[in-house]
Amino acid sequence: MSAVADPVTVHSLWTMAAESPDKFKAPDIEYGQLSPTLIVLGAAIIGVLIEALLPRKARYGAQLFTSVIGVAAAFAAVIGLAVGDYGTSKARVAAEGAIAVDGPALFLQGTILLVSLVAVFTFAERRLDPVAHGNHVDSFAAQAAAVPGGEGEKEAIKAGFTTTEVFPLLLFAVGGMLVFTSANDLLTLFIALEVFSLPLYVLCALARRQRLMSQEAAVKYFLLGAFSSAFLLFGIALLYGYAGSVTYGRIADVVDGEVAEITPALAQTMGNDALLLIGGAMVLMGLLFKVGAVPFHMWTPDVYQGAPTPVTGFMAAATKVAAFGALLRLLYVVLPGLRWDWRPVMYGVAIVTMLGGAIVAVTQTDVKRLLAYSSIAHGGFILAGVIATNKQGVSAVLFYLGAYSFVTLGAFSVVTLVRDAGGEATHLSKWAGLGRRSPLVGAVFAIFLLAFAGIPLTSGFAGKFAVFKAAAEGGAGALVVVGVVSSAVAAFFYIRVIVLMFFSEPRADGPTVAVPSILTSSAIAIGVAVTLVLGIAPQYFLELAGDAGVFVR
Amino acid sequence: MENLIGWLVAAPLLGAAVLLCGGKRLDRLGHWLGTLLAAASFVIGAVLFLDMLGEDEHHRAMHQHLFSWIPVGGFQADVAFQLDQLSMTFVLLITGVGTLIHIYSIGYMEHDERRRRFFGYLNLFLAAMLLLVIADNYLLLYVGWEGVGLASYLLIGFWQHKPSAATAAKKAFLVNRVGDVGLSIAIMLMFTTFGTFTFGPVLEATGETSEGKLTAIGLMLLLAACGKSAQVPLQSWLGDAMEGPTPVSALIHAATMVTAGVYLITRSGAIFNAAPDAQTAVVTVGAVTLIFGAIIGCAKDDIKKALAGSTMSQIGYMILAAGLGPIGYVFAIMHLVTHGFFKAGLFLGAGSVMHGMNDEVDMRKYGGLRKYMPITFITFGLGYLAIIGFPGLSGFFSKDKIIEAAFAKGGTEGWILGLTTLLGAAITAYYMTRVMLLTFFGEERWRNAATRSPNAPSAEPAAETRGEHAEPHPHESPKSMTIPMIVLAFGSVFAGGLFSVGDRFVHWLEPVTGHDHGDSPLSATTVTLSTVAVLIVGVSLAWAQYGRKPVPVVAPRGSLLTRAARRDLLQDDFNHVVLVRGGEHLTRSLVYVDHKLVDGVVNGTAASVGGLSGRLRRLQNGYARSYAVSMFGGTAVLIAATLLMRAV
């Protein structure tokens, strides 16, 4: 941005003064501090090359290997940065002010990477679907470009094709999310948003079964996502008009009234509060869409239901983490001076989100839609922590995100196991008596549901407690009351599923529980382990989140 | 020496633990162990007593602080003991009579295969009762109070294979709960009023507390006493409690536990002294119960139930005396001790008779037994003479003092109470003579009772079901049973005199309870003469009715009062109509409210959430366009709200 700051002197119509070479300053890129993102994006590019260069049979193994190594290495880089105090004392803004490297960024990046690693496992699962023409297949379409039900599809299935492109798509999305949580200017924010959204749109369309529904979901997601991106972008433009900059720090300075210089071209608009308020609200809306807050939530159930379940799990967990990370940074870094304006508004959003999610979930009959509404309600709970506007609020939200994402991923992984002839049996009536027929799967799912409901000794309780405590200390007592009421409503439908699984007679034509490979098993096991560890001994992780609770500006 | 106090409780408690947890291998020796530990407790008590006698009479109270039980902020509950003259009297009575009854039970329960457990319960009872009387605060007293309730429940229902015993145990437990609630409320009131439960501070602070609060505490304590001591209106359980083995009736339901209410009121004397209304309630309860119990005692044909009515009546005397304030406390306790001897002796005698009569309890099927069980006859006879107040025996001294004290209350109240106690004495003489005549004198009705009317309706159906149609062979009981009876007979004869000569008992207890002679309108001699006169009237009436003419084996229909008295003066009918039916109505209406209102609110909320859910769900129509509208509208609201916030 600094390159265009100086007005260029125009000598004539045709010529202009050449800038002296020494005035051009190469951008200073801190590669070390950006390494997590760079590693993931690098792995994604390798994935693309694999698709281009390797024979079909060899791609699956190579992709899986690359993805796991890439994500794991990126996670190691995050740990390295955190150990090197980049989260606390050495927190700084890198890449010419575009990327923040601080506690919340590193914590959320670490969470996203761990979740993604588990998501890679569920993406790679090939034991659940029946063997098609001698080939083990995964949850993704044989050939995405083939018309559903057409000849092309049949041939692709017969040939045993699989869409191994899902791995680089996943990695690109992860790279975008990593930037999203740490974006320190609005343009980077927008670009990161698009970088992680576009692969997700594609992934949503790739279901092997019920492809039409999957494609419909993807189109809806894309349309509405584009719609919200437009709002976001418009909001960015307005904020630029207000502050003369898209950098978080500069905007915050202007909001605080510490503006140093007024850009001549923007002299008319700078400092105009209407621009700030409208622009801020629009940017907020773009982020609330990704979070799935009411009334921007309507894509959630349709997309969660239509997308391939591994993708749903990944989206529900990682997208939520990334979007809340960006939301926190926007509200705590850019708009803290405006909090008396946005707090009441967000208050209202949080209330309708908690109540709306919980109430509508009561009448759902499909497991995936149920979990979608549950994720909306949980978004509302996390918003309560965001509204706390204190350090505990940040820490509580960080902890909650970590806890919630593993529960969600685990729950969707269990959903992939319950199958009948038509693929996954997601209608709740088919889950009757499941806990009796498959006690282990029933028990695991029950643990996840109890964690969703926030029962003590699960991570859900620790998270909810931390968030509500922070909100209460932040003066949002009424919000806590609404939160508890919605938790009670939510507990009803979670426990109803448990009752259904364990206290109903199994149906004769009920679904079977597929025996997964080590991949999904470990994904579920990790989910259970994190849920119980964070529930029984949350102190270490609460402290970790507490240490990571300060943003850099 | 003070460190010994805790062992009073510890010894029987240890016995209870060993006997109840020890298992079958203790079956052969368990009863000896239980008896030994009861005796050990008595020896400890005796040692402490001798030690106490050596002290100056105002410095006799001993204290032992064991540990802090519940130290929470201002709430300080300790396990600490206080052994003063009042507690010591109880300790000696409980351990002394308790040991004798342990010995008696060895013989009485010989053929019961659960004898070990029986002794475990007896030891448990001793431990709880001792804890009750040596606790130095009301909370610990409450522990003992509940402990004796538990032991009583377990022992009444000891023969739980009999439905009647199980029901009786349950009844005793439930009725006692009512009283226990009173005690717990009293303790709570004490804590809010005085900030402590310890006897010392509570009783010293009564002077500075409003009378209203003290009256409330006093009434709650009275409720507690009514429950435990079977006083009107919580008297109904005692008669049924006779379903327990006879030694239990003697120890718990005659000599010790049922007198806990008297202890409670005497111990809390300072509270009652400062709350005259509560005292009036106490004497009223005592007076009513003393007549009530006596009337029941007249009508019962079951020997144990007759004695139970008598117990009720005698405790009525004690409660009445305790309600008189400093005039009566000492005599309440004195009568309690002498009653402990003679009533325990009478019950043991009754047990001995039943033992020899194939467990027959109907006195109409006794008669002329004096020849067959001479020791039982003599000891029972001495107990009889003591209870009716035959001059020179224990009961004479203690009851006479209560009657004097009642008159000494002064005023109209004094006259009413005095005449009531005299009337009670007459009825006592009547019903006890009746028991005596029916059992030991007259025709030997048991001889051909079985053959004469095998199908005759029996007043005691239980006897019928036992199938004892064979003619009983009355015989004297074994030594283990007769020796305790003899010891108790000595107590019945001499205790009163021993206590009264030189006002020994008054001097002994006075430092704790205080004493006041009151202002009697009648001279002591007049009272004594009247007592003897009514005694003669009562005995003569009974002799006229049961001694002169033969007694029918099947009870005649009798007058309305007799029939009512046979039904315990309709106490159960009253309870059934008022409490059971009333309770049912109450619960039914509560259930109705719960169903219609509470559930209505809950279900209504759930239904409205469901309905709202269904309606909101329709908004999710699957069209991307309407989703976009929702987002657009949401954004508009968001912006408008933000601007509005700024504008406000």
Side-chain angles (χ1 to χ4, degrees), chain B residues 115-142:
Chain B
R115 181 163 65 165
R116 172 180 57 81
R117 182 184 293 259
F118 180 79
F119 276 83
Y121 290 159
L122 274 189
N123 271 0
L124 177 68
F125 167 76
L126 279 190
M129 189 71 203
L130 287 167
L131 184 66
L132 196 165
V133 296
I134 65 173
D136 92 329
N137 60 71
Y138 282 99
L139 203 63
L140 196 59
L141 178 147
Y142 188 66

mmCIF file of all heavy atoms in Angstrom, chain B residues 115-142:
data_model
loop_
_atom_site.group_PDB
_atom_site.id
_atom_site.type_symbol
_atom_site.label_atom_id
_atom_site.label_comp_id
_atom_site.label_asym_id
_atom_site.label_seq_id
_atom_site.Cartn_x
_atom_site.Cartn_y
_atom_site.Cartn_z
ATOM 1 N N ARG B 115 -30.134 -64.324 67.048
ATOM 2 C CA ARG B 115 -29.839 -63.728 68.340
ATOM 3 C C ARG B 115 -28.648 -62.757 68.260
ATOM 4 O O ARG B 115 -28.645 -61.717 68.895
ATOM 5 C CB ARG B 115 -29.537 -64.833 69.350
ATOM 6 C CG ARG B 115 -29.235 -64.285 70.727
ATOM 7 C CD ARG B 115 -29.350 -65.339 71.783
ATOM 8 N NE ARG B 115 -28.355 -66.391 71.616
ATOM 9 C CZ ARG B 115 -28.063 -67.275 72.564
ATOM 10 N NH1 ARG B 115 -28.686 -67.229 73.711
ATOM 11 N NH2 ARG B 115 -27.177 -68.215 72.361
ATOM 12 N N ARG B 116 -27.626 -63.109 67.476
ATOM 13 C CA ARG B 116 -26.451 -62.248 67.372
ATOM 14 C C ARG B 116 -26.844 -60.859 66.876
ATOM 15 O O ARG B 116 -26.442 -59.834 67.418
ATOM 16 C CB ARG B 116 -25.450 -62.876 66.402
ATOM 17 C CG ARG B 116 -24.276 -61.999 66.058
ATOM 18 C CD ARG B 116 -23.355 -62.721 65.098
ATOM 19 N NE ARG B 116 -24.043 -63.138 63.880
ATOM 20 C CZ ARG B 116 -24.293 -62.337 62.854
ATOM 21 N NH1 ARG B 116 -23.914 -61.089 62.908
ATOM 22 N NH2 ARG B 116 -24.921 -62.777 61.785
ATOM 23 N N ARG B 117 -27.670 -60.857 65.861
ATOM 24 C CA ARG B 117 -28.118 -59.585 65.312
ATOM 25 C C ARG B 117 -28.929 -58.795 66.353
ATOM 26 O O ARG B 117 -28.791 -57.587 66.486
ATOM 27 C CB ARG B 117 -28.984 -59.869 64.080
ATOM 28 C CG ARG B 117 -29.476 -58.649 63.366
ATOM 29 C CD ARG B 117 -30.395 -59.090 62.252
ATOM 30 N NE ARG B 117 -29.670 -59.812 61.233
ATOM 31 C CZ ARG B 117 -29.291 -59.263 60.081
ATOM 32 N NH1 ARG B 117 -29.582 -58.020 59.836
ATOM 33 N NH2 ARG B 117 -28.643 -59.972 59.200
ATOM 34 N N PHE B 118 -29.726 -59.540 67.123
ATOM 35 C CA PHE B 118 -30.534 -58.887 68.168
ATOM 36 C C PHE B 118 -29.630 -58.158 69.155
ATOM 37 O O PHE B 118 -29.861 -57.002 69.514
ATOM 38 C CB PHE B 118 -31.367 -59.959 68.883
ATOM 39 C CG PHE B 118 -32.234 -59.428 69.971
ATOM 40 C CD1 PHE B 118 -33.438 -58.813 69.662
ATOM 41 C CD2 PHE B 118 -31.854 -59.533 71.302
ATOM 42 C CE1 PHE B 118 -34.249 -58.325 70.664
ATOM 43 C CE2 PHE B 118 -32.661 -59.039 72.307
ATOM 44 C CZ PHE B 118 -33.860 -58.434 71.994
ATOM 45 N N PHE B 119 -28.550 -58.833 69.546
ATOM 46 C CA PHE B 119 -27.636 -58.179 70.495
ATOM 47 C C PHE B 119 -26.904 -57.017 69.842
ATOM 48 O O PHE B 119 -26.609 -56.026 70.507
ATOM 49 C CB PHE B 119 -26.659 -59.212 71.079
ATOM 50 C CG PHE B 119 -27.244 -59.945 72.233
ATOM 51 C CD1 PHE B 119 -28.074 -61.042 72.038
ATOM 52 C CD2 PHE B 119 -27.010 -59.516 73.528
ATOM 53 C CE1 PHE B 119 -28.642 -61.702 73.103
ATOM 54 C CE2 PHE B 119 -27.581 -60.173 74.601
ATOM 55 C CZ PHE B 119 -28.398 -61.268 74.398
ATOM 56 N N GLY B 120 -26.630 -57.143 68.547
ATOM 57 C CA GLY B 120 -26.006 -56.023 67.836
ATOM 58 C C GLY B 120 -26.898 -54.799 67.881
ATOM 59 O O GLY B 120 -26.454 -53.693 68.202
ATOM 60 N N TYR B 121 -28.190 -55.024 67.650
ATOM 61 C CA TYR B 121 -29.130 -53.901 67.688
ATOM 62 C C TYR B 121 -29.226 -53.330 69.095
ATOM 63 O O TYR B 121 -29.293 -52.117 69.304
ATOM 64 C CB TYR B 121 -30.514 -54.343 67.222
ATOM 65 C CG TYR B 121 -30.625 -54.669 65.747
ATOM 66 C CD1 TYR B 121 -31.654 -55.473 65.274
ATOM 67 C CD2 TYR B 121 -29.707 -54.169 64.825
ATOM 68 C CE1 TYR B 121 -31.780 -55.770 63.938
ATOM 69 C CE2 TYR B 121 -29.817 -54.468 63.482
ATOM 70 C CZ TYR B 121 -30.849 -55.269 63.040
ATOM 71 O OH TYR B 121 -30.965 -55.553 61.720
ATOM 72 N N LEU B 122 -29.252 -54.228 70.089
ATOM 73 C CA LEU B 122 -29.346 -53.744 71.469
ATOM 74 C C LEU B 122 -28.145 -52.865 71.807
ATOM 75 O O LEU B 122 -28.273 -51.806 72.415
ATOM 76 C CB LEU B 122 -29.408 -54.918 72.444
ATOM 77 C CG LEU B 122 -30.764 -55.539 72.746
ATOM 78 C CD1 LEU B 122 -30.629 -56.532 73.896
ATOM 79 C CD2 LEU B 122 -31.815 -54.509 73.095
ATOM 80 N N ASN B 123 -26.948 -53.323 71.388
ATOM 81 C CA ASN B 123 -25.755 -52.518 71.642
ATOM 82 C C ASN B 123 -25.827 -51.193 70.904
ATOM 83 O O ASN B 123 -25.427 -50.153 71.423
ATOM 84 C CB ASN B 123 -24.504 -53.286 71.192
ATOM 85 C CG ASN B 123 -23.961 -54.154 72.310
ATOM 86 O OD1 ASN B 123 -24.519 -54.181 73.402
ATOM 87 N ND2 ASN B 123 -22.894 -54.847 72.046
ATOM 88 N N LEU B 124 -26.326 -51.251 69.683
ATOM 89 C CA LEU B 124 -26.476 -50.017 68.916
ATOM 90 C C LEU B 124 -27.402 -49.057 69.657
ATOM 91 O O LEU B 124 -27.137 -47.858 69.765
ATOM 92 C CB LEU B 124 -27.054 -50.335 67.533
ATOM 93 C CG LEU B 124 -27.323 -49.140 66.645
ATOM 94 C CD1 LEU B 124 -26.015 -48.483 66.234
ATOM 95 C CD2 LEU B 124 -28.095 -49.549 65.399
ATOM 96 N N PHE B 125 -28.464 -49.617 70.205
ATOM 97 C CA PHE B 125 -29.382 -48.773 70.953
ATOM 98 C C PHE B 125 -28.681 -48.136 72.140
ATOM 99 O O PHE B 125 -28.808 -46.936 72.392
ATOM 100 C CB PHE B 125 -30.600 -49.572 71.433
ATOM 101 C CG PHE B 125 -31.388 -48.820 72.448
ATOM 102 C CD1 PHE B 125 -32.210 -47.776 72.043
ATOM 103 C CD2 PHE B 125 -31.259 -49.083 73.802
ATOM 104 C CE1 PHE B 125 -32.894 -47.037 72.973
ATOM 105 C CE2 PHE B 125 -31.950 -48.337 74.735
ATOM 106 C CZ PHE B 125 -32.769 -47.313 74.325
ATOM 107 N N LEU B 126 -27.929 -48.944 72.880
ATOM 108 C CA LEU B 126 -27.243 -48.392 74.063
ATOM 109 C C LEU B 126 -26.326 -47.256 73.651
ATOM 110 O O LEU B 126 -26.302 -46.199 74.286
ATOM 111 C CB LEU B 126 -26.416 -49.483 74.741
ATOM 112 C CG LEU B 126 -27.155 -50.437 75.671
ATOM 113 C CD1 LEU B 126 -26.143 -51.291 76.427
ATOM 114 C CD2 LEU B 126 -28.031 -49.680 76.641
ATOM 115 N N ALA B 127 -25.557 -47.465 72.573
ATOM 116 C CA ALA B 127 -24.611 -46.440 72.139
ATOM 117 C C ALA B 127 -25.352 -45.156 71.799
ATOM 118 O O ALA B 127 -24.973 -44.059 72.226
ATOM 119 C CB ALA B 127 -23.812 -46.938 70.942
ATOM 120 N N ALA B 128 -26.434 -45.287 71.035
ATOM 121 C CA ALA B 128 -27.166 -44.094 70.611
ATOM 122 C C ALA B 128 -27.796 -43.390 71.803
ATOM 123 O O ALA B 128 -27.763 -42.165 71.925
ATOM 124 C CB ALA B 128 -28.228 -44.482 69.589
ATOM 125 N N MET B 129 -28.358 -44.187 72.713
ATOM 126 C CA MET B 129 -29.031 -43.586 73.869
ATOM 127 C C MET B 129 -28.022 -42.870 74.760
ATOM 128 O O MET B 129 -28.300 -41.785 75.294
ATOM 129 C CB MET B 129 -29.757 -44.702 74.652
ATOM 130 C CG MET B 129 -30.662 -44.203 75.739
ATOM 131 S SD MET B 129 -32.140 -43.394 75.102
ATOM 132 C CE MET B 129 -32.601 -42.366 76.485
ATOM 133 N N LEU B 130 -26.839 -43.489 74.924
ATOM 134 C CA LEU B 130 -25.822 -42.835 75.749
ATOM 135 C C LEU B 130 -25.349 -41.560 75.084
ATOM 136 O O LEU B 130 -25.135 -40.534 75.735
ATOM 137 C CB LEU B 130 -24.655 -43.798 75.981
ATOM 138 C CG LEU B 130 -24.988 -44.932 76.966
ATOM 139 C CD1 LEU B 130 -23.936 -46.018 76.913
ATOM 140 C CD2 LEU B 130 -25.112 -44.378 78.377
ATOM 141 N N LEU B 131 -25.192 -41.610 73.755
ATOM 142 C CA LEU B 131 -24.786 -40.404 73.037
ATOM 143 C C LEU B 131 -25.817 -39.302 73.255
ATOM 144 O O LEU B 131 -25.479 -38.135 73.469
ATOM 145 C CB LEU B 131 -24.653 -40.724 71.544
ATOM 146 C CG LEU B 131 -24.140 -39.587 70.670
ATOM 147 C CD1 LEU B 131 -22.706 -39.273 71.044
ATOM 148 C CD2 LEU B 131 -24.232 -39.941 69.204
ATOM 149 N N LEU B 132 -27.076 -39.702 73.231
ATOM 150 C CA LEU B 132 -28.152 -38.729 73.418
ATOM 151 C C LEU B 132 -28.009 -38.012 74.758
ATOM 152 O O LEU B 132 -28.177 -36.800 74.845
ATOM 153 C CB LEU B 132 -29.486 -39.464 73.328
ATOM 154 C CG LEU B 132 -30.796 -38.708 73.132
ATOM 155 C CD1 LEU B 132 -31.866 -39.697 72.702
ATOM 156 C CD2 LEU B 132 -31.259 -37.982 74.361
ATOM 157 N N VAL B 133 -27.696 -38.765 75.795
ATOM 158 C CA VAL B 133 -27.704 -38.128 77.112
ATOM 159 C C VAL B 133 -26.377 -37.489 77.486
ATOM 160 O O VAL B 133 -26.336 -36.666 78.400
ATOM 161 C CB VAL B 133 -28.148 -39.100 78.232
ATOM 162 C CG1 VAL B 133 -29.582 -39.523 78.014
ATOM 163 C CG2 VAL B 133 -27.220 -40.283 78.337
ATOM 164 N N ILE B 134 -25.268 -37.838 76.830
ATOM 165 C CA ILE B 134 -24.014 -37.190 77.228
ATOM 166 C C ILE B 134 -23.550 -36.150 76.210
ATOM 167 O O ILE B 134 -22.509 -35.528 76.416
ATOM 168 C CB ILE B 134 -22.879 -38.203 77.495
ATOM 169 C CG1 ILE B 134 -22.496 -38.932 76.216
ATOM 170 C CG2 ILE B 134 -23.256 -39.163 78.606
ATOM 171 C CD1 ILE B 134 -21.285 -39.793 76.409
ATOM 172 N N ALA B 135 -24.300 -35.955 75.114
ATOM 173 C CA ALA B 135 -23.905 -34.922 74.163
ATOM 174 C C ALA B 135 -23.904 -33.567 74.869
ATOM 175 O O ALA B 135 -24.713 -33.328 75.760
ATOM 176 C CB ALA B 135 -24.876 -34.905 72.997
ATOM 177 N N ASP B 136 -22.983 -32.686 74.465
ATOM 178 C CA ASP B 136 -22.981 -31.367 75.098
ATOM 179 C C ASP B 136 -23.622 -30.325 74.197
ATOM 180 O O ASP B 136 -23.554 -29.139 74.465
ATOM 181 C CB ASP B 136 -21.568 -30.951 75.517
ATOM 182 C CG ASP B 136 -20.861 -30.167 74.444
ATOM 183 O OD1 ASP B 136 -21.135 -30.413 73.253
ATOM 184 O OD2 ASP B 136 -20.039 -29.297 74.791
ATOM 185 N N ASN B 137 -24.210 -30.762 73.090
ATOM 186 C CA ASN B 137 -24.916 -29.798 72.249
ATOM 187 C C ASN B 137 -26.105 -30.478 71.597
ATOM 188 O O ASN B 137 -26.189 -31.709 71.541
ATOM 189 C CB ASN B 137 -23.978 -29.211 71.195
ATOM 190 C CG ASN B 137 -23.412 -30.272 70.295
ATOM 191 O OD1 ASN B 137 -24.108 -30.838 69.470
ATOM 192 N ND2 ASN B 137 -22.126 -30.571 70.461
ATOM 193 N N TYR B 138 -27.031 -29.665 71.122
ATOM 194 C CA TYR B 138 -28.281 -30.217 70.598
ATOM 195 C C TYR B 138 -28.083 -30.997 69.314
ATOM 196 O O TYR B 138 -28.825 -31.922 69.012
ATOM 197 C CB TYR B 138 -29.303 -29.102 70.384
ATOM 198 C CG TYR B 138 -29.953 -28.644 71.661
ATOM 199 C CD1 TYR B 138 -29.525 -27.515 72.311
ATOM 200 C CD2 TYR B 138 -30.994 -29.373 72.213
ATOM 201 C CE1 TYR B 138 -30.117 -27.091 73.492
ATOM 202 C CE2 TYR B 138 -31.600 -28.966 73.386
ATOM 203 C CZ TYR B 138 -31.155 -27.823 74.029
ATOM 204 O OH TYR B 138 -31.747 -27.431 75.189
ATOM 205 N N LEU B 139 -27.072 -30.610 68.521
ATOM 206 C CA LEU B 139 -26.889 -31.298 67.250
ATOM 207 C C LEU B 139 -26.424 -32.737 67.475
ATOM 208 O O LEU B 139 -26.896 -33.670 66.821
ATOM 209 C CB LEU B 139 -25.887 -30.532 66.381
ATOM 210 C CG LEU B 139 -26.013 -30.800 64.897
ATOM 211 C CD1 LEU B 139 -27.357 -30.349 64.380
ATOM 212 C CD2 LEU B 139 -24.902 -30.099 64.139
ATOM 213 N N LEU B 140 -25.507 -32.889 68.398
ATOM 214 C CA LEU B 140 -25.038 -34.242 68.698
ATOM 215 C C LEU B 140 -26.150 -35.037 69.380
ATOM 216 O O LEU B 140 -26.307 -36.235 69.141
ATOM 217 C CB LEU B 140 -23.791 -34.163 69.581
ATOM 218 C CG LEU B 140 -22.967 -35.437 69.681
ATOM 219 C CD1 LEU B 140 -22.487 -35.868 68.312
ATOM 220 C CD2 LEU B 140 -21.767 -35.218 70.591
ATOM 221 N N LEU B 141 -26.914 -34.350 70.220
ATOM 222 C CA LEU B 141 -28.071 -34.983 70.830
ATOM 223 C C LEU B 141 -29.010 -35.516 69.746
ATOM 224 O O LEU B 141 -29.539 -36.613 69.855
ATOM 225 C CB LEU B 141 -28.801 -33.965 71.711
ATOM 226 C CG LEU B 141 -30.084 -34.389 72.427
ATOM 227 C CD1 LEU B 141 -30.178 -33.673 73.755
ATOM 228 C CD2 LEU B 141 -31.334 -34.096 71.630
ATOM 229 N N TYR B 142 -29.126 -34.711 68.694
ATOM 230 C CA TYR B 142 -30.001 -35.124 67.595
ATOM 231 C C TYR B 142 -29.493 -36.400 66.946
ATOM 232 O O TYR B 142 -30.290 -37.247 66.532
ATOM 233 C CB TYR B 142 -30.064 -33.991 66.570
ATOM 234 C CG TYR B 142 -31.069 -34.183 65.475
ATOM 235 C CD1 TYR B 142 -32.424 -34.189 65.757
ATOM 236 C CD2 TYR B 142 -30.672 -34.340 64.161
ATOM 237 C CE1 TYR B 142 -33.348 -34.352 64.754
ATOM 238 C CE2 TYR B 142 -31.596 -34.504 63.153
ATOM 239 C CZ TYR B 142 -32.932 -34.505 63.449
ATOM 240 O OH TYR B 142 -33.852 -34.675 62.460
#
